[in-house]
Amino acid sequence: MCNFIIKWTYDVSVEIDMKNWKKYLKSEYRHENHAAPLSRRDFLARGLMASLGAVIAPSIESILSGRLLYGQGLNCPTYPTNPSPMIPFLQLDHAGGAAFGGDFICGGQGGQLDFLTASGDSTDYENFGYPSDLHPSNVTPDTSFGVAFHANSPFLMGLKSALPSQYWNSVDGGIVASATDSDTQANPLGMLQYIPLVDRYGTVVPSVGSTLNASGGNNTLAPDPIGGYSALSRPSRVSSATEAAKLTGYIDLMTTFGEPIAERVLKAIGELNSSQLLNFKNMNIPDQIEALHKCGYLRAKDLPFSVPPEDLFKADEAELLDSFGADFNDSVHTKALAPISYLLSKGYVGAGCVSVGGFDNHNGNSKEPNAIRYRAGFAAGLTIKYFASKGMPLFIAGITDGYMGVKRVSGVLQIDNTDPSGTVNTLGYQPGGLGTASRPGDSNIVGCQWFLAYVPGKARGDLVQNSGRQIGAFSTKGVVLNYLQTANAPGKVAQAILYQYLLLQGLGPKINLVLGSNNFLDDAPEYQILKKAWDV
């Protein structure tokens, strides 16, 4: 009897839509002469125990005493006790439509340095924000990080300001030409739930994000071609150091089971005998977390025991302060970034997502979009610096929904020459207009996603197999929509970036664990930018 209720609780409450739970009832518990049980009265009529809370208690007891309930049929997932050897994965979600086509050089089918010359009069890059005097043929692209940036890129300025030059040569990356919608909900770019599918786990939870969305960021989840997503791999929220501390000591039954079941489970915990509770209390917090997490009871937020933030970060305080600054818990760009970077570096989480909005200011100038893209580059640089200080590799996926158009009056490109302000080489620096096009609002045709990898001890040429460093192609108007599958399919952009993460570790075939028979990436050199530079 007890076994059935435990199975029913797991199958219905955790993984199954409650409205349609009957069709998921396991066949061995059906009876040919009886309908599926519908109510408490039905369960009682079949001799089952009256109190659901009372029979859930043995499952809690079993977890607390170290048994995984396999014998009771729950088939709980297991998570490793040692950090994954795979490279930490960080997704930076730039909400609102970041004009990264004004940062990275966007080229034709030959790659980034295949300059666009269709018009033949140096106006080819106006839609990307560059007037004729800033055409890439007139201003030498900056390849300090392998991937080519425009010399006037605010993102590049921020990246260089935050990351010491001694690490530059071990960074490389690429871009993806992608026409994404200006509506966040139409852009399934979130990759976090892919990471457990390719066997990168955390010792506490699979992933964390700075929002409560299923993607962990602003954009929606990338497609799940083979149905591999699990309710238990949904990212836990970490938007500050305090929430990171809670992650290591709180259990959020509410998220996993829903409010009614959570209340019953909590009641069941309260009914455990004193020796059982004592055994649990005598476990250290990581062991408590592991024990409860193995059967899905662990999430992240709301039970009343925690690790103070100052204790959580104490061991890494010097590196955090050096990399992110004393105000890392105050800035919108680093408030979530620093603690998530910490959790990634410790292996507590397999992947993280930090979302920052406001990239589409809609006020017709260039200085404000430039300022926020400078801060985005600065944040990326801080993170690489932190991992570099620990001798660890890092993969960063930079995504954004939409793009920003350019302003013309009577066909003439409008330029913003606002002077820079603030203190150079700080997060608050504002690079000004930079002589680039004024930005009036959304445009989705010049979309550009990016990825950067840092591998200690490697030179940038060791990280790439395709010197073009670009998936897809651009024209003077924007993304070439009929070239590759990623041109107008944000979900496939996410999969292509995940593929780069795997290629970097010599694990390209693992993309089949995500795509199955829908694999459009394997053995397709036009999608292969990075190569193996890290042994797992």
Side-chain angles (χ1 to χ4, degrees):
M1 301 298 185
C2 178
N3 292 0
F4 170 72
I5 294 295
I6 290 174
K7 280 196 172 188
W8 180 85
T9 300
Y10 179 78
D11 288 342
V12 175
S13 299
V14 179
E15 292 191 337
I16 305 303
D17 177 4
M18 287 291 288
K19 293 181 180 179
N20 299 302
W21 71 269
K22 285 185 290 182
K23 68 179 181 180
Y24 298 100
L25 191 65
K26 291 183 179 295
S27 59
E28 60 264 37
Y29 297 116
R30 293 183 179 273
H31 192 286
E32 61 183 357
N33 296 320
H34 295 279
L38 299 176
S39 65
R40 177 176 176 272
R41 183 179 300 275
D42 290 333
F43 284 112
L44 288 172
R46 300 183 193 194
L48 301 180
M49 297 180 67
S51 170
L52 180 60
V55 297
I56 288 181
S59 71
I60 297 282
E61 175 186 347
S62 296
I63 295 172
L64 297 183
S65 62
R67 298 195 299 273
L68 294 182
L69 295 179
Y70 286 116
Q72 295 174 320
L74 188 53
N75 193 28
C76 306
T78 58
Y79 287 90
T81 56
N82 296 316
S84 169
M86 292 179 69
I87 294 174
F89 182 96
L90 177 66
Q91 180 170 290
L92 299 181
D93 188 336
H94 309 88
F100 289 133
D103 292 292
F104 296 88
I105 299 295
C106 298
Q109 291 188 20
Q112 284 191 285
L113 301 183
D114 178 15
F115 297 150
L116 310 179
T117 57
S119 61
D121 61 1
S122 296
T123 63
D124 305 286
Y125 281 88
E126 283 195 354
N127 284 327
F128 299 82
Y130 311 143
S132 58
D133 62 320
L134 294 180
H135 190 286
S137 63
N138 296 325
V139 180
T140 303
D142 189 308
T143 57
S144 299
F145 300 98
V147 61
F149 286 92
H150 194 282
N152 268 31
S153 160
F155 184 96
L156 174 67
M157 293 177 186
L159 184 59
K160 281 187 169 183
S161 294
L163 183 62
S165 59
Q166 72 218 53
Y167 302 125
W168 295 1
N169 194 46
S170 295
V171 177
D172 215 322
I175 62 173
V176 185
S178 60
T180 53
D181 199 281
S182 297
D183 183 354
T184 295
Q185 298 304 310
N187 292 303
L189 288 163
M191 299 170 230
L192 289 198
Q193 294 209 41
Y194 283 158
I195 304 305
L197 298 182
V198 297
D199 299 326
R200 161 78 185 175
Y201 287 99
T203 57
V204 176
V205 292
S207 62
V208 293
S210 60
T211 76
L212 288 173
N213 294 337
S215 67
N218 277 68
N219 285 279
T220 54
L221 272 178
D224 182 13
I226 62 171
Y229 288 167
S230 165
L232 299 181
S233 66
R234 182 186 176 107
S236 299
R237 188 178 76 172
V238 170
S239 61
S240 66
T242 300
E243 287 187 349
K246 289 181 180 180
L247 179 68
T248 66
Y250 284 9
I251 306 164
D252 183 5
L253 297 173
M254 192 78 70
T255 299
T256 303
F257 293 104
E259 185 171 355
I261 300 298
E263 290 177 354
R264 292 171 182 174
V265 174
L266 289 172
K267 179 181 178 182
I269 293 173
E271 293 173 354
L272 294 176
N273 64 47
S274 59
S275 62
Q276 292 166 344
L277 288 174
L278 181 62
N279 287 338
F280 180 70
K281 290 178 181 179
N282 286 338
M283 298 168 71
N284 60 37
I285 286 175
D287 288 342
Q288 290 176 342
I289 291 166
E290 182 184 357
L292 287 160
H293 177 56
K294 282 176 178 176
C295 283
Y297 292 107
L298 169 70
R299 288 300 288 175
K301 298 198 300 289
D302 292 322
L303 289 188
F305 53 88
S306 69
V307 180
E310 58 271 20
D311 290 344
L312 173 69
F313 296 111
K314 191 170 184 178
D316 265 15
E317 185 175 16
E319 290 94 341
L320 281 166
L321 290 176
D322 180 60
S323 295
F324 294 99
D327 62 344
F328 71 80
N329 201 31
D330 297 320
S331 167
V332 66
H333 275 80
T334 57
K335 187 174 182 179
L337 186 62
I340 287 178
S341 296
Y342 171 85
L343 295 171
L344 278 170
S345 73
K346 288 295 186 183
Y348 294 151
V349 302
C353 177
V354 178
S355 180
V356 177
F359 283 84
D360 52 345
N361 62 313
H362 289 274
N363 65 4
N365 64 42
S366 183
K367 65 176 183 178
E368 291 182 21
N370 287 347
I372 196 168
R373 296 204 322 277
Y374 169 88
R375 291 193 290 272
F378 200 94
L382 291 178
T383 311
I384 297 173
K385 178 184 176 182
Y386 174 65
F387 279 84
S389 73
K390 301 172 76 65
M392 295 182 65
L394 176 66
F395 182 92
I396 302 179
I399 63 171
T400 187
D401 50 317
Y403 185 71
M404 293 196 74
V406 297
K407 184 178 180 180
R408 291 183 175 89
V409 175
S410 300
V412 177
L413 190 70
Q414 301 300 292
I415 304 302
D416 186 343
N417 287 307
T418 305
D419 291 333
S421 61
T423 304
V424 178
N425 296 334
T426 66
L427 183 60
Y429 177 68
Q430 298 191 33
L434 296 172
T436 56
S438 297
R439 303 281 186 178
D442 294 336
S443 170
N444 64 0
I445 193 60
V446 198
C448 176
Q449 319 295 328
W450 56 267
F451 52 91
L452 292 174
Y454 169 78
V455 180
K458 298 290 185 180
R460 67 176 65 98
D462 299 333
L463 277 63
V464 296
Q465 58 180 301
N466 184 336
S467 60
R469 294 179 172 85
Q470 177 178 285
I471 296 172
F474 296 89
S475 71
T476 57
K477 294 180 179 179
V479 176
V480 177
L481 297 178
N482 61 356
Y483 177 44
L484 294 181
Q485 294 187 47
T486 46
N488 198 26
K492 292 187 175 182
V493 171
Q495 293 157 4
I497 293 177
L498 174 71
Y499 191 40
Q500 308 313 308
Y501 170 71
L502 296 172
L503 290 171
L504 185 65
Q505 301 164 90
L507 301 174
K510 279 184 177 287
I511 196 67
N512 290 309
L513 299 174
V514 172
L515 298 181
S517 61
N518 301 295
N519 191 347
F520 66 99
L521 296 167
D522 200 22
D523 296 325
E526 61 268 28
Y527 293 108
Q528 298 171 355
I529 304 299
L530 299 185
K531 68 179 181 181
K532 184 179 179 181
W534 182 258
D535 292 319
V536 177

